[in-house]
Amino acid sequence: FYRNTAISFNLPSAFPVSLKITDATGKVIATLANELLPAGEHTFKWDAAGNPGGVYFYRLQTGSRVETRKMILIR
């Protein structure tokens, strides 16, 4: 049983990055990044211990680009 999720992305140049985990209601559960990151591959891990099973989302914002993906935590 794995409780960690790795979120990886590549930046073509330095960007301010915001990476947040939210629950299905939009409540922010965790902020994994909120900083200026250099170009290259980046990986952040979310430890889901203590969170109930259900639907979660991660929201990755790099400059003006925003990407949201769904995750399902099964207990």
Side-chain angles (χ1 to χ4, degrees):
F1 158 63
Y2 296 99
R3 64 180 196 189
N4 291 320
T5 297
I7 300 167
S8 299
F9 57 92
N10 189 32
L11 296 175
S13 60
F15 278 104
V17 172
S18 171
L19 178 58
K20 296 182 179 185
I21 307 294
T22 64
D23 64 14
T25 67
K27 178 182 173 193
V28 176
I29 302 301
T31 299
L32 304 181
N34 192 20
E35 60 192 291
L36 179 66
L37 295 177
E41 183 75 20
H42 300 276
T43 300
F44 290 87
K45 292 184 180 177
W46 176 49
D47 183 351
N51 292 293
V55 176
Y56 293 87
F57 297 89
Y58 75 79
R59 183 176 188 265
L60 174 63
Q61 183 171 358
T62 57
S64 62
R65 182 178 176 196
V66 177
E67 183 177 318
T68 302
R69 298 281 170 101
K70 181 167 73 170
M71 303 182 291
I72 299 174
L73 179 60
I74 299 172
R75 293 278 180 203

